[in-house]
Amino acid sequence: MTTLAASHRGTMILVALAAATVVAVGMGMISSILVPVLLTLVLTICAHPVRVALERWGFPHGLATGSVVLVVFLFLAGFVVALVIAFTQFVGMLPQYAGQLADLGSKIGEWLGKLGIGQDQIQALLKGIDPNSIVDFATGLFGGLFNVTTSLIVVLTMLILMAADAMYVPTILRQLLGTHQELVVSLAAYASNVRRYMVVTTMLGIVQGALNTVALVIMGVPAAVLWGLLAFLCSFIPNVGYFLAIIPPIVFGFFVGGWPTVIGVIITYAVINGVVQSIIQPKVVGNAVALSQSLTFLSVLFWAVVFGPMGAILAIPLTLLARAILVDSDPDARKWRPAIGDIAEARRLIMQDDAAAKAVRRARRRAREAGASLEAQPSEDRASTG
């Protein structure tokens, strides 16, 4: 019977993994549609309290919804314009460093040759340091962002429709509360958590990018605005975003200022990003994310494979949505929350275990003390006691 149950459980796990693979491949095939929709969903969730506040202040529903849509659209449009200008400047100044890139490539090739790496592998690597290859790589890196942000018509349309439909969401959730209470609670918690995470990360990312840009300008690093925008985008990518953001300014800082500039860039990024992402952000966001570091890193890799660069940026909101639907809304599956990173729940279980362990230790200590006192009695007293 046990073998049959284990076999059934193994079959269910394999079927679930196969279904997840099919769903992931399918989402990747229609990523051009899903990515703008998911981005709009996150933006609508973040902007919803503003619309509610405007309506509470007496603004008509249409005017409140239109105001929020306009603000979000202007933010996206301004970001696209800044990104295009910075990227154009980067492409224009890149040929100036062609010789230095070639020298850097030759030095890397010599170092790799000393390590015993074959010439074919070295040549394949050195092709990536060519200015044209760097432009192609940067275009591919920002291509996913351009595909979304340049499709502002689709985003704007979805934003208007979702913002208009959002006014009916509370009524729908109240109707579902009686029959699907766990689902309603999990979706409400998801909206609150993802709103807190995205708003805080956006504000801190703007500060972080601005400070990095100012520091790079002072140090004379080329394309400082582009690297500041890159730092802003990478602030949404946990674990690996910092390393993606710091590599370009290190390389071009070395070209213009040598090792002193490189050390200055490293120290500046370490201080700014360390304070923002390691001290300020966790305190403000709190337990809104509640994902383990391993799962967070895995989610970045997974969504980046499925949706490209925008998948890495939206990795946390998408993972929280999957958790809300698959785990939080199912009472039987909620026992897995501590395993996937719910610190508060894990701490509560640990405290329960500690309390139980302390109770057991107290009981054992009293038993030992009782046994010791019984052994200390004279033999006639023990006999009379017996």
Side-chain angles (χ1 to χ4, degrees):
M1 191 68 178
T2 303
T3 304
L4 181 61
S7 176
H8 177 71
R9 183 167 56 252
T11 302
M12 292 298 295
I13 293 174
L14 291 177
V15 171
L17 291 176
T21 303
V22 173
V23 171
V25 173
M27 290 191 300
M29 294 178 65
I30 59 173
S31 60
S32 59
I33 299 175
L34 276 181
V35 172
V37 171
L38 293 173
L39 175 62
T40 307
L41 174 63
V42 173
L43 293 175
T44 303
I45 292 174
C46 295
H48 181 68
V50 179
R51 186 184 64 82
V52 173
L54 291 176
E55 292 178 353
R56 189 180 298 116
W57 293 339
F59 286 81
H61 296 295
L63 183 58
T65 301
S67 300
V68 173
V69 170
L70 180 61
V71 170
V72 175
F73 179 77
L74 290 177
F75 173 79
L76 291 176
F79 175 75
V80 171
V81 171
L83 189 62
V84 170
I85 293 175
F87 186 74
T88 303
Q89 293 177 349
F90 169 70
V91 174
M93 66 91 180
L94 192 59
Q96 302 175 10
Y97 300 94
Q100 292 171 297
L101 287 170
D103 294 338
L104 178 62
S106 62
K107 292 179 181 179
I108 294 177
E110 294 176 359
W111 178 68
L112 293 177
K114 294 179 181 179
L115 296 178
I117 298 178
Q119 290 298 319
D120 294 337
Q121 290 82 359
I122 294 176
Q123 292 300 323
L125 178 63
L126 294 182
K127 289 182 180 179
I129 306 179
D130 182 77
N132 294 328
S133 299
I134 294 178
V135 172
D136 294 337
F137 173 77
T139 303
L141 179 64
F142 291 103
L145 303 177
F146 284 131
N147 290 336
V148 175
T149 53
T150 53
S151 303
L152 291 179
I153 301 299
V154 177
V155 175
L156 177 62
T157 304
M158 290 298 303
L159 187 62
I160 294 174
L161 297 177
M162 287 187 180
D165 292 338
M167 61 186 299
Y168 304 107
V169 171
T171 303
I172 297 174
L173 293 180
R174 282 194 296 269
Q175 292 178 349
L176 293 175
L177 191 60
T179 56
H180 299 81
Q181 181 178 359
E182 296 291 339
L183 178 61
V184 173
V185 172
S186 64
L187 291 178
Y190 165 76
S192 176
N193 291 336
V194 77
R195 184 182 303 118
R196 186 192 309 173
Y197 170 77
M198 291 300 294
V199 171
V200 170
T201 303
T202 300
M203 299 306 296
L204 293 178
I206 293 174
V207 174
Q208 182 176 321
L211 293 176
N212 288 336
T213 300
V214 172
L216 293 177
V217 170
I218 294 174
M219 288 183 286
V221 178
V225 176
L226 180 62
W227 310 139
L229 291 173
L230 180 63
F232 167 72
L233 291 173
C234 290
S235 65
F236 293 91
I237 306 177
N239 302 127
V240 298
Y242 170 79
F243 300 99
L244 294 177
I246 197 175
I247 292 176
I250 283 181
V251 173
F252 288 93
F254 178 76
F255 290 160
V256 298
W259 288 108
T261 303
V262 170
I263 296 175
V265 170
I266 294 175
I267 294 176
T268 301
Y269 270 63
V271 172
I272 295 176
N273 296 273
V275 171
V276 171
Q277 295 189 359
S278 301
I279 299 178
I280 300 177
Q281 187 176 16
K283 290 184 177 180
V284 179
V285 174
N287 201 41
V289 176
L291 296 174
S292 65
Q293 295 296 323
S294 300
L295 184 59
T296 300
F297 180 70
L298 180 62
S299 67
V300 171
L301 299 180
F302 175 79
W303 294 113
V305 171
V306 176
F307 291 142
M310 280 302 301
I313 293 174
L314 296 175
I316 298 300
L318 295 179
T319 303
L320 292 179
L321 179 60
R323 190 191 69 182
I325 296 175
L326 300 177
V327 178
D328 296 346
S329 61
D330 186 357
D332 295 332
R334 296 183 71 176
K335 61 185 178 182
W336 292 102
R337 282 183 60 94
I340 62 179
D342 191 338
I343 300 176
E345 182 68 15
R347 186 181 293 113
R348 185 183 65 82
L349 295 176
I350 292 173
M351 292 177 64
Q352 288 182 351
D353 292 342
D354 290 343
K358 289 179 181 178
V360 171
R361 288 195 294 269
R362 284 196 298 267
R364 290 177 177 175
R365 185 170 60 252
R366 285 195 293 267
R368 288 195 298 269
E369 291 174 353
S373 61
L374 184 62
E375 290 293 333
Q377 294 180 4
S379 57
E380 59 273 11
D381 291 343
R382 290 199 302 271
S384 62
T385 303

